[in-house]
């Protein structure tokens, strides 16, 4: 019974980490912007004073200024350039990449990311809380199995924990764009810590029952939806635009490492006592909360009062996403690959067993996959600088299709493990590049809602993939199931290659 529950929990956490997700944002500048070369990222540039450039300025959205805009080169923009004073230029101002955060004031040196106090507090607190929550992902089904002896009850607990991720993102995104994001995250951490502590105390006192476990797991899942949307939307307000890709790669590595370390940690802590992993989880949320209290920067731009209802706000986010063909298409591609990844985890375990891997070997395969994800996260900023976004999206899907075929045809544990880890390596390359682009062009006031819209569309395939994996294994066996998933990825890669909106995306930022 315990092994079945552990496998179910590992499948949920690992498949979620392997799934490809994307991010969002926009930019405003409160001070005059001066550049000796074109900015690397800039979708919408708004300044309260003159904009002066010694070389062409590049942007993907409108350039707005309260003072004169002067440039040594011609002025050419994809969107209108408007100013309260005359616009003069000897050459062109071109905009291709959005600026996403308030730029470093002129004369101030750019602070390296590893010395950015606010980012380190946000990143470190989230890393600790992710480790705790990943540990409880394996502990919850083990706890339910110990309480009830029913695999169905363990599966029900996992379903209830994932349900908020399907039901709540759209309204949560609207509220994330309405409420102060840092304060919202603090409340989420406080309430999640309380919920985990309640489970720990009830387990220690031997008064814990299934209804309480289901109620707390649903509440924790709901709070995690709010916390995750707010945290992701906050990143461009904490780091300068030139460091956005690097910051997202660090976040990606954090998530991959949490899965790699937290899953076995949860089993070890549960072995020490039923209450132990939940007590550790409560403490991890308090660490995150403490870090948030010491962050100085605000997590959102200044907002105007909203008078429209939540339904109108949700529709605004969906409409904005639908009007951007590349983001719309990439979200649907993510949904297709998520379906494959969710089904693949169970298929990979069955294949590994079929080619002679022991239980320990299966664990090593998952561990190596997590390591591949971490390495991909570290390589992602370099890749985002060197490869155009369209080429990266098409290339990632074809890489997954080829690697899926290698997995399906593998006859030994070594080949299977290397191919599976390589699939995890590719995921962060996509996530970071796409996330940087999305955060760069989405206005701050819409970030939560656009993130929620993309999450709802892309993650809606996860439960379908889980069911599909089980059905394929039951009906055609592990190897044929893997071949079917490889065929599915060929279709997804072909769709990416034929999509005009993907081929027309911008190249890497100018340096």
């Amino acid at each position: 019974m315990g092994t079945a529950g552990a496998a179910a929990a590992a499948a949920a956490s690992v498949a979620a980490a392997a799934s490809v997700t994307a991010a969002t944002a926009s930019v405003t500048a409160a001070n005059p912007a001066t550049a000796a070369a074109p900015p690397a990222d800039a979708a919408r540039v708004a300044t309260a004073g003159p904009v002066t450039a010694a070389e062409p300025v590049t942007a993907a959205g409108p350039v707005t200024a309260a003072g004169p805009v002067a440039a040594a080169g011609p002025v050419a923009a994809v969107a209108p350039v408007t100013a309260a004073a005359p616009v003069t230029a000897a050459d062109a101002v071109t905009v291709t990449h959005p600026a996403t955060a308030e730029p470093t004031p002129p004369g101030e040196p750019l602070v390296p990311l590893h010395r950015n106090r606010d980012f380190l507090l946000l990143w470190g607190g989230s890393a600790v809380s992710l480790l705790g929550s990943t540990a409880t992902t394996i502990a919850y089904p083990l706890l339910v199995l110990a309480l009830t002896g029913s695999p169905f009850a363990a599966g029900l607990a996992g379903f209830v924990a994932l349900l908020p991720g399907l039901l709540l993102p759209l309204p949560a995104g609207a509220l994330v764009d309405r409420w102060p994001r840092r304060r919202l995250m603090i409340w989420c951490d406080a309430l999640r810590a309380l919920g985990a502590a309640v489970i720990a105390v009830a387990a220690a006192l031997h008064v814990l029952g299934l209804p309480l476990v289901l109620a707390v797991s649903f509440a924790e899942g709901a709070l995690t939806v709010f916390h995750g949307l707010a945290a992701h939307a906050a990143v461009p307000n904490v780091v300068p635009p030139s460091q956005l890709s690097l910051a997202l790669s660090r976040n990606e590595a954090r998530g991959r490492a949490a899965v790699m370390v937290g899953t076995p940690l949860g089993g070890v802590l549960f072995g020490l006592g039923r209450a132990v992993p939940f007590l550790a989880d409560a403490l991890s949320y308090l660490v995150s909360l403490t870090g948030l209290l010491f962050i100085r920067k605000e997590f959102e731009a200044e907002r105007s009062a909203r008078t429209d209802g939540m339904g109108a706000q949700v529709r605004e986010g969906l409409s904005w996403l639908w009007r951007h063909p590349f983001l719309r298409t990439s979200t649907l591609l993510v949904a297709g690959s998520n379906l494959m990844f969710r089904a693949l985890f169970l298929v990979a375990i069955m294949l590994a067993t079929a080619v002679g891997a022991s239980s320990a070997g299966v664990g090593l395969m998952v561990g190596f996959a997590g390591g591949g994800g971490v390495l991909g996260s570290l390589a992602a900023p370099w890749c985002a600088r060197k490869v155009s976004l369209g080429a990266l999206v098409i290339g990632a899907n074809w890489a997954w299709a080829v690697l899926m075929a290698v997995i399906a045809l593998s006859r030994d544990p070594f080949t299977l493990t290397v191919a599976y880890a390589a699939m995890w390596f590719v995921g962060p390359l996509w996530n970071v590049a796409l996330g940087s682009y999305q955060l760069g062009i989405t206005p701050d006031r819409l970030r939560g809602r656009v993130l929620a819209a993309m999450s709802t569309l892309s993650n809606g395939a996860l439960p379908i993939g889980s069911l599909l994996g089980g059905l394929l294994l039951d009906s055609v066996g592990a190897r044929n199931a893997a071949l079917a998933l490889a065929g599915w990825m060929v279709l997804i890669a072909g769709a990416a290659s034929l999509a005009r909106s993907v081929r027309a995306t911008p190249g890497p930022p100018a340096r």
Side-chain angles (χ1 to χ4, degrees):
M1 297 294 188
T3 303
S13 61
V14 174
S19 304
V20 183
T21 54
T24 39
S26 154
V27 178
T28 56
N31 299 318
T34 307
D41 292 285
R44 170 182 311 222
V45 180
T47 72
V51 178
T52 311
E55 289 185 32
V57 180
T58 312
V63 179
T64 311
V69 179
V75 179
V78 176
V81 179
T82 58
V87 179
T88 58
D91 230 324
V93 178
T94 316
V95 186
T96 53
H97 292 282
T100 36
E102 184 172 322
T104 304
E108 276 193 24
L110 186 67
V111 177
L113 196 62
H114 68 272
R115 293 175 55 195
N116 184 326
R117 175 183 176 276
D118 289 335
F119 175 76
L120 292 178
L121 287 170
L122 178 63
W123 187 93
S126 294
V128 175
S129 68
L130 269 174
L131 188 64
S133 57
T134 304
T136 58
T137 300
I138 189 76
Y140 265 119
L142 292 175
L143 178 63
V144 173
L145 284 167
L147 291 173
T148 67
S150 168
F152 173 77
L156 178 62
F159 171 76
V160 168
L162 291 173
L163 193 57
L166 296 176
L167 299 179
L168 297 181
L170 290 176
L175 293 174
V176 162
D177 286 340
R178 178 183 295 182
W179 294 341
R181 291 173 184 151
R182 187 166 69 96
R183 191 181 307 167
L184 174 62
M185 292 171 65
I186 289 171
W187 275 106
C188 287
D189 278 336
L191 293 174
R192 291 191 296 177
L194 178 62
V198 166
I199 294 289
V201 171
L205 297 177
H206 304 287
V207 295
L208 185 61
L210 181 60
L212 180 60
V213 173
L214 295 179
V216 171
S217 62
F218 181 86
E220 186 174 354
L223 293 165
T224 298
V225 170
F226 281 88
H227 190 282
L229 289 173
H232 207 81
V235 174
N237 297 298
V238 177
V239 302
S242 61
Q243 295 177 346
L244 183 57
S245 291
L246 183 60
L248 292 180
S249 76
R250 297 295 181 263
N251 288 352
E252 187 77 19
R254 178 188 65 196
R256 307 277 172 164
V259 171
M260 185 171 60
V261 177
T263 302
L265 178 63
V268 171
L269 294 178
F270 191 83
L272 298 176
R274 294 181 182 180
V276 176
F278 301 97
L279 178 60
D281 194 24
L283 294 175
S284 74
Y285 289 135
L286 293 178
V287 171
S288 176
L289 185 155
T290 303
L292 290 168
L293 291 174
F294 285 93
I295 292 177
R296 297 167 182 158
K297 291 182 179 178
E298 294 300 327
F299 284 4
E300 63 280 319
E302 187 175 348
R303 299 166 174 170
S304 57
R306 298 301 300 258
T307 58
D308 48 348
M310 181 177 293
Q313 293 180 43
V314 169
R315 286 193 298 272
E316 186 182 9
L318 288 169
S319 175
W320 190 95
L321 173 62
W322 199 253
R323 291 196 308 270
H324 290 75
F326 171 72
L327 291 181
R328 182 181 69 222
T329 303
S330 65
T331 300
L332 296 176
L333 292 172
V334 168
S337 60
N338 276 356
L339 186 148
M340 183 274 297
F341 272 111
R342 189 70 171 190
L344 173 61
F345 183 71
L346 292 175
V347 172
I349 289 177
M350 296 299 294
L351 270 179
T353 304
V355 297
S358 63
S359 297
V362 172
L364 284 174
M365 179 184 74
V366 175
F368 275 112
V374 172
L375 292 176
S377 303
L378 298 178
W382 178 89
C383 188
R385 291 194 302 269
K386 300 296 183 181
V387 182
S388 72
L389 191 53
L392 185 57
V393 169
I394 294 170
N397 280 284
W398 278 112
W400 283 326
V402 171
L403 290 168
M404 191 65 242
V406 172
I407 288 174
L409 299 174
S410 62
R411 301 290 175 178
D412 62 89
F414 177 78
T415 303
L416 176 61
T417 298
V418 171
Y420 193 52
M423 294 189 78
W424 278 53
F425 176 87
V426 174
L429 306 182
W430 164 301
N431 287 353
V432 171
L434 185 61
S436 300
Y437 176 80
Q438 182 190 0
L439 284 167
I441 68 170
T442 308
D444 181 78
R445 65 182 183 84
L446 285 171
R447 283 178 193 158
R449 282 167 284 171
V450 173
L451 272 171
M454 296 185 75
S455 174
T456 300
L457 292 173
S458 60
N459 291 338
L462 293 177
I464 300 173
S466 184
L467 290 174
L468 179 64
L471 289 173
L472 286 172
L473 287 170
D474 284 341
S475 58
V476 300
R479 193 164 302 281
N480 288 331
L483 287 170
L485 293 178
W488 173 255
M489 275 312 304
V490 169
L491 292 177
I492 296 296
S497 301
L498 295 174
R500 183 180 303 175
S501 59
V502 173
R503 299 197 310 271
T505 51
R511 293 296 172 190

